[in-house]
Amino acid sequence: MPQESLPPESALSRRFGVAGAPKDFDWWRKNIPCQAACPAGTDIPGYLDAIAHRRYEEAYTINLRDNVFPGVLGRVCTRPCEPPCRHGWEGLGESVAICFSKRSAADLMARREPIVLPPVFPPSDKRVIVVGAGAAGLAAARELALWGHQVTVLERERQPGGLMVQGIPPFRLPRAVVEIEIDQIRLQGVDLRCGAGVEGAAGLRELFDCAEAVIVACGTHRPFIPDLPGTDLAAVEHGLTFLKAVHLQQRTAIGRRVVVIGGGFTAVDCARTALRLGAQSVQVFYRRSVDEMYVSAHEIDALEQEGIRFTPMAMPVAFRASESGGPVEVRLTSVMLGDADASGRRRPMPMPDGEYGVEADTVLLATGQVPDWGWAGDLADALGKVSPSGQSLVSAYPSLFVTGDAAQGALSLIDAIGHAKICARAVDRFLTGRNRFRDAIWIEDATSNGRNRDMDAIPRQPMPERDIAERSAQAEVETGYAEDVAVQEAQRCYLCHYKYEIDNDLCIYCDRCLKVKPVDDCIIKVRSLTYDEEGRIIGYERSTSAKDYNMLYIDQNECIRCGACAEVCPVECIPLQKVQKITLPLS
């Protein structure tokens, strides 16, 4: 059956099937803001819909396909999808607990054996070597294995997982969860070799003789140390170095008083880990405001629950040793925020007479880390200069790719996975000489989205947590949603991948839909629509009287998918469709 093209005033270019016009992608980006904000492009409404109907394995598999590590990300994702969530817009309540729901999919499915996805393409006889078994390296390896390539991952440590196991404490991310999801990658056909580091430029060059492409995904392991007096003191150490030592059980104790400098996840993890190692006083100082922190508000709540003092708008100026060999004095200053820097964040500026001191037995600098290409010798330039997809821009090494934090700088797991997927596509194009995928919009008719207005009033469900007295270095603090709570939370999702639209050729302008609309501007009497040069609807002109009332228009940006308009329409001129962004393999 041929596809039917639609008039310009329609939200999409096609009535059903595969679409790919600019207006189709524009609709997806604006109407499914959670998925558009996810670096891995996870089909969030798809898996929330599955959880709401208790199809947990389906929900997990959607996540597995899109972001590789559902159980991991359901615990430690930075949640870039939640601030754009339509349910959290002004007047609509709080955003859906998308991250917690991802964990529910992993926790509640009855199946416990590993899930192996079906291959996308037959074997290619092309070999890829990935250096580094962190989130990015493993994600790229999984993708390429699905596409038929032979993939070997080399990891210098004895345990795969990168910062998932070396930097994130087990009370936030149980090691068994990481192991299960890495095992699933092995079962996709990835050859994972631990204790197999690459030694210098010579070792890296050897890899080019063994494979058609090499991906370096070694993360960011060189600590960034601020240029301040006293950072060389024995009591001052970098937070990531500290967390790795704890992971390797090389660090089992810490001083009585601990000061942490920083405002990211590493800072929070350092503070909570220090407490579990026996510190009696832990303080965190951050040089900007709470609103400008990279971590979520619940991370600050966790510090307060555990008795850790958090002080924003304060930055260190020096670290001073005591003459008696006792505690270090951390010299800090209160700050105010000035003009924005190149990244858009406001610069902290010392306040007059704002300096003060705090004593500490241990100071942990959670001040970030950067790529370290010193090990690569004369290949450092080829690794440090890459395209947005990670391919080396040094012409002598077209088969060399860099992905994850090594390419972008230290960001987050979901950012690393998102970049790994982009990089894997670039590697596949390099190996096959063509683009074997097409991103498209899939449109299908639907009869119901299964929602009712009562679901809009469900409050966001809090994550259950272990009592303070029961918390330890190993016991997971967050214990997960019970099944009924998980279903309730998922039901809050507006399911923005469903689309209601008025067919004005059928409409009799009875205005019944206008009488039941829950949002002021979700349905509007319109004189005309405004389009850009590519046919995307970018605005409308309201009707001012019966003379210029030319159509009824559902503003997709305001629609909350309640279906009230369709229910009262006497001529059934408001059809429902399901719209999804998909990636199609090309034959």
Side-chain angles (χ1 to χ4, degrees):
M1 182 176 181
Q3 292 191 9
E4 180 183 349
S5 295
L6 298 176
E9 63 268 20
S10 298
L12 301 171
S13 68
R14 301 281 182 179
R15 191 174 299 281
F16 64 89
V18 176
K23 70 186 308 181
D24 302 314
F25 287 102
D26 186 59
W27 188 96
W28 166 78
R29 185 170 51 254
K30 291 178 178 177
N31 283 275
I32 314 178
C34 55
Q35 185 179 14
C38 175
T42 304
D43 179 9
I44 293 166
Y47 81 73
L48 289 172
D49 193 13
I51 293 172
H53 291 90
R54 301 179 189 267
R55 301 193 302 269
Y56 308 117
E57 186 171 328
E58 177 187 337
Y60 182 86
T61 303
I62 289 171
N63 276 287
L64 181 64
R65 177 197 69 206
D66 289 348
N67 59 55
V68 189
F69 295 98
V72 171
L73 291 171
R75 290 165 166 83
V76 297
C77 188
T78 51
R79 311 177 187 182
C81 55
E82 292 190 12
C85 172
R86 191 183 302 267
H87 209 316
W89 293 3
E90 186 176 355
L92 298 179
E94 291 186 85
S95 62
V96 176
I98 297 170
C99 178
F100 292 161
S101 296
K102 186 185 286 92
R103 172 180 174 162
S104 296
D107 287 352
L108 297 173
M109 61 178 179
R111 175 175 176 160
R112 283 293 174 261
E113 63 269 23
I115 294 178
V116 179
L117 299 175
V120 177
F121 296 114
S124 68
D125 295 326
K126 302 290 186 180
R127 188 177 181 196
V128 181
I129 294 178
V130 179
V131 180
L138 292 170
R142 199 287 302 268
E143 295 291 88
L144 291 163
L146 281 174
W147 304 339
H149 306 304
Q150 301 173 37
V151 187
T152 299
V153 179
L154 305 179
E155 170 56 50
R156 68 178 179 180
E157 304 292 343
R158 294 294 174 182
Q159 182 182 18
L163 290 182
M164 290 187 287
V165 294
Q166 297 170 19
I168 302 176
F171 59 82
R172 284 187 62 212
L173 179 59
R175 298 302 178 246
V177 174
V178 184
E179 291 167 4
I180 288 169
E181 295 188 334
I182 291 178
D183 195 38
Q184 289 175 159
I185 293 171
R186 283 194 182 99
L187 293 172
Q188 290 291 167
V190 173
D191 179 14
L192 178 53
R193 304 178 186 180
C194 292
V198 175
E199 300 300 328
L204 186 55
R205 282 194 174 87
E206 289 178 4
L207 302 183
F208 295 116
D209 298 328
C210 305
E212 281 79 13
V214 174
I215 302 175
V216 175
C218 56
T220 50
H221 293 282
R222 181 159 64 89
F224 175 77
I225 305 296
D227 185 16
L228 297 174
T231 55
D232 57 343
L233 295 173
V236 180
E237 57 187 299
H238 194 269
L240 188 58
T241 304
F242 164 74
L243 291 173
K244 286 182 178 179
V246 174
H247 161 66
L248 295 171
Q249 298 182 332
Q250 296 169 350
R251 187 70 175 272
T252 58
I254 200 166
R256 184 170 62 88
R257 292 166 293 188
V258 176
V259 165
V260 180
I261 305 296
F265 286 95
T266 299
V268 174
D269 288 343
C270 282
R272 298 177 73 188
T273 299
L275 194 70
R276 284 158 173 77
L277 290 184
Q280 296 177 22
S281 167
V282 182
Q283 299 183 70
V284 179
F285 295 91
Y286 176 55
R287 62 180 181 160
R288 290 188 171 94
S289 69
V290 173
D291 293 338
E292 294 178 295
M293 293 184 70
Y294 193 48
V295 300
S296 306
H298 80 284
E299 299 284 345
I300 304 303
D301 293 340
L303 295 179
E304 293 177 352
Q305 287 175 13
E306 296 182 2
I308 296 169
R309 182 179 173 185
F310 172 71
T311 305
M313 305 294 287
M315 68 180 185
V317 295
F319 306 97
R320 297 176 182 171
S322 66
E323 295 181 1
S324 63
V328 170
E329 183 186 24
V330 182
R331 297 299 301 174
L332 298 130
T333 182
S334 299
V335 302
M336 54 186 176
L337 296 178
D339 296 334
D341 59 19
S343 68
R345 305 176 79 192
R346 291 179 295 167
R347 292 184 178 89
M349 301 171 59
M351 294 182 65
D353 302 320
E355 189 169 319
Y356 59 98
V358 174
E359 288 190 340
D361 300 299
T362 303
V363 179
L364 300 174
L365 302 176
T367 47
Q369 54 273 354
V370 295
D372 180 9
W373 301 124
W375 63 272
D378 62 353
L379 287 181
D381 195 47
L383 292 166
K385 295 179 179 178
V386 297
S387 71
S389 64
Q391 186 170 21
S392 178
L393 296 175
V394 176
S395 59
Y397 299 98
S399 63
L400 178 62
F401 296 79
V402 182
T403 193
D405 287 0
Q408 304 181 107
L411 294 175
S412 67
L413 290 182
I414 192 63
D415 285 306
I417 292 164
H419 188 264
K421 293 179 67 175
I422 295 170
C423 182
R425 289 272 287 267
V427 172
D428 187 75
R429 284 194 299 272
F430 174 79
L431 294 175
T432 62
R434 63 190 181 96
N435 184 3
R436 296 200 291 173
F437 299 93
R438 175 192 173 191
D439 293 326
I441 302 299
W442 174 256
I443 308 158
E444 60 184 90
D445 290 331
T447 56
S448 171
N449 63 5
R451 297 198 85 249
N452 60 62
R453 290 305 309 282
D454 291 341
M455 295 174 179
D456 297 347
I458 299 172
R460 180 175 169 125
Q461 304 299 302
M463 170 58 68
E465 295 182 344
R466 194 178 301 275
D467 291 341
I468 297 292
E470 298 176 353
R471 298 185 185 184
S472 68
Q474 299 296 321
E476 187 174 13
V477 172
E478 296 177 343
T479 55
Y481 286 150
E483 182 174 2
D484 288 346
V485 176
V487 170
Q488 263 200 321
E489 183 59 39
Q491 287 175 340
R492 298 180 65 237
C493 175
Y494 285 151
L495 301 180
C496 298
H497 59 331
Y498 285 95
K499 176 183 71 68
Y500 290 94
E501 187 172 11
I502 297 171
D503 185 339
N504 279 272
D505 290 337
L506 298 177
C507 180
I508 60 174
Y509 300 97
C510 65
D511 290 355
R512 292 187 184 183
C513 58
L514 293 171
K515 295 173 183 175
V516 300
K517 63 178 184 179
V519 178
D520 286 345
D521 287 337
C522 60
I523 306 176
I524 313 107
K525 293 180 179 181
V526 168
R527 177 179 180 179
S528 64
L529 299 177
T530 307
Y531 306 90
D532 68 6
E533 65 279 1
E534 294 189 295
R536 291 174 290 215
I537 299 171
I538 58 174
Y540 55 81
E541 186 178 357
R542 289 179 181 271
S543 170
T544 57
S545 69
K547 294 180 180 180
D548 64 1
Y549 176 13
N550 295 322
M551 63 182 296
L552 270 177
Y553 176 67
I554 294 181
D555 186 340
Q556 302 290 322
N557 199 48
E558 298 290 332
C559 175
I560 61 171
R561 280 61 175 175
C562 68
C565 57
E567 290 176 7
V568 300
C569 179
V571 294
E572 298 182 351
C573 75
I574 309 178
L576 177 65
Q577 292 173 302
K578 185 177 179 181
V579 185
Q580 295 173 285
K581 183 174 182 286
I582 60 173
T583 298
L584 296 172
L586 303 176
S587 58

